[in-house]
Amino acid sequence: EKLIVSKLRYHSQKNKMLASKPLLRRAKTVNGNTRKSSKTKQADHAITINTSHANSSSKALSNCFKYLGNGWQEERWDILYVKSCDIYWHEKSLTSRERYIDGKVNKFPGMKEIVCKAKFAYLLNRLQSLFPKHYTYYPRTWIALQEMMTEVIKLSAKELNDMTFIVKPDGGSEGRGIFLLQGLKQLEALYFQITESVVIQKYISDPYLIDGFKFDLRLYAVLTSLNPLETYLFRDGLARFCTVPYQAPNSKNIRHTCMHLTNYSLNKNSPSFVLMKNPHEGSKRTISSVLQIMENLGHSVDVIWFAIEQLIAKTIIAMLPSLKIEFDSWSTIYKKPDNKFSCFHILGFDVILDADLRPHLLEVNANPSLNIEHEHFSKKGVYSNVISPVDEYIKCQLIAGTLKLVQPSSKIRKGNSATTDGGKETTIKFSNIFPKLSEEYSQLRIIERICRIASKEISIADLDVLFINQVKSSTDIAVCKLTDLNAYLTYARPG
C-alpha cells in the first residue's frame, strides 16, 4: 500500500510539472539570444517573422538576417498556437490554416493554379488576342493539340520542317517530361500518343549564346499589393547555362536535353556542370555578370533591363484579374473579419534572350526555389548538401530586400531601426514596376475592369468571349482605349 501511495504521489507531481510547462518553446532567435520562456514579452518595436513552414527556405532566411540588422526576430512557433507575428514565411501555397494569420504572408491564394502552364497560356493568349503588338514577347503557345494541328497544317512542308516545338506537361516542374519535336510526322505521333495535359510552345531556336552555350535568366519580381497594384523587380538573378554547346535543333541532337533545356535540375547532373566559388562564374551565375559580358561587347544593358521591365509589367497585368478573383474568394471564405491578413509574393520569371537580345517569356513560377544548397557528390560517391555561393549571394539579398519592402509601416513610424542598425547593406536593389508604369499600361487592364461587374447572370468566361469578339471587330485591335471599354460595359451589363 505504501508503494502504491508513493507511486501515485510521484505521478501526481509529474503531471503538475508537465502542466506547468508551455506546450511549445520559442526557438533560438537569429540575434543570438538564448531560449526564452513563452511568457517573455517581445519589445514592441521588434519585427517578428514566423518561419515554422519555411522548409527549404529556412537556411536562406536565417542567413539573410545579416542584411536586416537589429530589430528583426525569427519565430518558429506553429501558426495555430502563437500570438500573431508581423510576417509569415511559407514554402508552399496558401491553405485554409492561414485564416488564423493576423499579419502578412508570403503567398497569394490561387497563385500556383494561375501560373500552371495551361492556365497561364490561356491568360497570355487572351491578352495577345486583344493587344497583339504588346504581347509579342510570349512565344506562340497552344493549349489544345487539335487547335495547333489545325493551324500548323496550313504551313508548307518546308516551313513546318524548319519549325521546332517544345512540349511541356501542364503540372510539370524542374524540366520533368519536357521534350522537343519537329515536323508533321512527330506532331501526328504526339496527337495519337499523348496521355496527359500538355502545352505546346514554339521553340526559340536562335538564342543568344555566350561562349557557344545557351542560357536563360531566372528573374524575381515581388508583388506586394493588388489594390493598389505594387510590384518590384529584383535587379539581378540567376543565369542558368546548358552544359553542352548549342546547335540548332535537328534530328540528331533534338533529344540532347543538356543542349536545349536550361533547367538547373537537369544540367546539375551533367559531368560538365561547373559550380564555382565565385558567384559570377560557372554553369549557374549571376545575371549581372552575364550583362557585364554583353556590355563589354557593346550592347546596351539599360535597353535590355527596360525590355524586361515591360515584359514583367504586362505579364502581371495578364494575371491580375484571376488573382483578384482568387484573393476575394479566399478572403470571403476563410478570412476572419477582425484580422489584418494581407499577402505578398515572390515570383520567378524564366526569360530567354534571342540573337537580337529581345527577351521572351518562357514561364512564371509561383514557388521559385529559395534553397541555397547544392547537391554535391564527392569522389568517393558520398552525397552531401553544400552551400552554393551564387544561390546564397542572390537569394539572401532577395529575401532581405523583400522583407524590407513589406515590413509593417507602424513599426517604422515607431522608430524601428531594423533596416540600418547593425545590418549589412545589400548590393542589389529593386526597381519599381508598379505603380511607376500604371498610367502607361492602364489601357491593358481592361479584363480586370470587366471582372468588377457585379453580375450573377454573366460569367467571366462569357465576358471574355463577348469582349474579345467586340474588340476584334474594331478597326484598331492594338489600341483599345477606355472609351471602347465604356461602350462595351453598357452593352454587356444585364438590364
Side-chain angles (χ1 to χ4, degrees):
E1 290 179 355
K2 291 182 178 180
L3 181 61
I4 292 172
V5 171
S6 63
K7 284 186 176 181
L8 288 173
R9 287 177 178 173
Y10 169 75
H11 287 295
S12 177
Q13 291 175 355
K14 186 176 180 180
N15 290 336
K16 288 181 180 179
M17 290 175 62
L18 290 173
S20 66
K21 292 183 178 181
L23 292 175
L24 293 168
R25 291 186 178 278
R26 189 181 305 281
K28 185 177 180 179
T29 64
V30 293
N31 290 336
N33 298 331
T34 57
R35 293 180 182 270
K36 298 180 181 180
S37 167
S38 62
K39 296 181 181 179
T40 304
K41 295 182 178 180
Q42 300 178 10
D44 292 336
H45 62 81
I47 299 176
T48 53
I49 306 171
N50 189 305
T51 60
S52 59
H53 295 280
N55 299 339
S56 65
S57 306
S58 297
K59 187 160 289 188
L61 276 163
S62 297
N63 288 2
C64 84
F65 278 82
K66 65 185 178 184
Y67 296 105
L68 297 174
N70 301 322
W72 295 77
Q73 185 167 308
E74 182 182 8
E75 300 288 351
R76 293 188 181 274
W77 292 73
D78 189 286
I79 61 172
L80 299 180
Y81 299 102
V82 71
K83 64 180 182 180
S84 62
C85 289
D86 298 307
I87 299 170
Y88 295 80
W89 198 277
H90 290 209
E91 184 180 51
K92 301 298 181 182
S93 301
L94 213 61
T95 65
S96 59
R97 286 168 55 91
E98 280 67 43
R99 65 183 180 274
Y100 297 101
I101 285 180
D102 190 18
K104 295 185 178 182
V105 64
N106 71 318
K107 301 293 178 187
F108 271 98
M111 183 69 80
K112 183 179 179 181
E113 290 73 23
I114 289 171
V115 300
C116 275
K117 295 176 178 60
K119 171 71 172 179
F120 183 72
Y122 164 73
L123 296 176
L124 266 293
N125 289 342
R126 177 171 66 177
L127 266 293
Q128 272 185 337
S129 66
L130 295 176
F131 307 100
K133 292 182 180 179
H134 283 278
Y135 285 86
T136 56
Y137 64 83
Y138 187 59
R140 182 69 177 99
T141 306
W142 296 269
I143 304 170
L145 189 57
Q146 187 174 2
E147 177 193 3
M148 176 197 176
M149 293 297 292
T150 304
E151 187 173 327
V152 301
I153 203 72
K154 299 175 183 177
L155 302 174
S156 66
K158 184 180 184 306
E159 288 176 322
L160 189 56
N161 289 329
D162 291 342
M163 191 177 295
T164 305
F165 304 94
I166 182 168
V167 182
K168 305 176 183 180
D170 180 28
S173 61
E174 298 182 342
R176 288 188 291 265
I178 299 178
F179 60 92
L180 274 61
L181 52 81
Q182 283 181 321
L184 184 59
K185 289 184 178 180
Q186 292 187 9
L187 285 174
E188 290 175 342
L190 176 68
Y191 185 80
F192 291 106
Q193 295 175 8
I194 197 68
T195 59
E196 60 179 329
S197 176
V198 299
V199 297
I200 305 100
Q201 193 173 71
K202 185 178 178 182
Y203 180 73
I204 307 296
S205 57
D206 59 338
Y208 185 85
L209 307 178
I210 290 183
D211 298 329
F213 290 89
K214 178 183 175 181
F215 65 95
D216 75 349
L217 309 176
R218 164 58 63 86
L219 294 144
Y220 300 96
V222 182
L223 181 62
T224 58
S225 173
L226 295 181
N227 191 20
L229 181 59
E230 292 181 3
T231 310
Y232 299 87
L233 172 64
F234 189 61
R235 296 283 293 190
D236 208 336
L238 300 172
R240 304 172 299 184
F241 282 75
C242 288
T243 49
V244 176
Y246 181 77
Q247 297 176 2
N250 54 48
S251 58
K252 295 181 179 179
N253 66 32
I254 199 169
R255 301 299 179 196
H256 290 184
T257 56
C258 291
M259 176 188 292
H260 297 292
L261 303 183
T262 55
N263 302 72
Y264 163 72
S265 55
L266 298 175
N267 285 279
K268 69 180 181 181
N269 298 319
S270 169
S272 302
F273 184 86
V274 179
L275 180 67
M276 304 291 288
K277 291 183 178 179
N278 185 345
H280 308 297
E281 300 174 353
S283 298
K284 183 162 68 168
R285 63 183 83 165
T286 60
I287 289 177
S288 56
S289 64
V290 170
L291 295 179
Q292 184 61 53
I293 292 173
M294 295 179 182
E295 191 172 33
N296 294 340
L297 293 173
H299 302 299
S300 173
V301 173
D302 291 337
V303 171
I304 296 172
W305 270 120
F306 180 69
I308 289 173
E309 288 180 356
Q310 289 183 314
L311 177 152
I312 289 175
K314 295 171 185 177
T315 304
I316 293 292
I317 287 174
M319 297 163 57
L320 199 56
S322 296
L323 267 176
K324 286 192 171 183
I325 291 172
E326 292 284 352
F327 183 79
D328 291 343
S329 300
W330 193 95
S331 300
T332 302
I333 297 171
Y334 296 116
K335 184 180 177 182
K336 289 185 174 182
D338 56 341
N339 74 358
K340 299 177 182 178
F341 172 85
S342 61
C343 299
F344 64 98
H345 207 116
I346 297 177
L347 293 166
F349 286 74
D350 291 344
V351 174
I352 190 169
L353 301 175
D354 63 19
D356 296 322
L357 292 179
R358 291 185 301 237
H360 298 267
L361 178 65
L362 302 180
E363 61 185 31
V364 176
N365 292 268
N367 300 314
S369 172
L370 297 177
N371 187 11
I372 60 173
E373 292 183 319
H374 171 75
E375 297 176 355
H376 175 71
F377 288 90
S378 66
K379 294 180 180 179
K380 297 181 179 180
V382 179
Y383 163 84
S384 62
N385 284 328
V386 298
I387 295 295
S388 166
V390 63
D391 286 295
E392 182 181 30
Y393 176 78
I394 292 295
K395 295 174 182 177
C396 289
Q397 294 196 67
L398 167 67
I399 295 173
T402 301
L403 291 173
K404 291 178 182 180
L405 285 175
V406 301
Q407 62 182 324
S409 57
S410 60
K411 300 208 171 176
I412 298 176
R413 286 196 298 268
K414 289 181 180 180
N416 178 37
S417 58
T419 57
T420 56
D421 186 15
K424 181 180 177 182
E425 185 68 23
T426 54
T427 57
I428 307 171
K429 306 300 181 184
F430 285 86
S431 61
N432 183 288
I433 302 296
F434 292 112
K436 184 179 76 172
L437 298 176
S438 293
E439 184 175 350
E440 181 178 349
Y441 292 134
S442 176
Q443 66 184 38
L444 303 182
R445 298 175 66 174
I446 291 178
I447 299 293
E448 176 194 350
R449 295 183 178 96
I450 294 174
C451 290
R452 295 196 204 129
I453 298 177
S455 170
K456 297 181 180 179
E457 300 180 21
I458 297 183
S459 67
I460 297 301
D462 295 332
L463 287 171
D464 282 350
V465 173
L466 286 169
F467 184 64
I468 288 173
N469 290 337
Q470 179 84 355
V471 175
K472 281 188 174 180
S473 64
S474 174
T475 55
D476 188 4
I477 277 181
V479 180
C480 185
K481 297 185 178 179
L482 297 183
T483 53
D484 303 321
L485 173 64
N486 292 332
Y488 169 69
L489 294 182
T490 304
Y491 167 77
R493 196 188 309 271

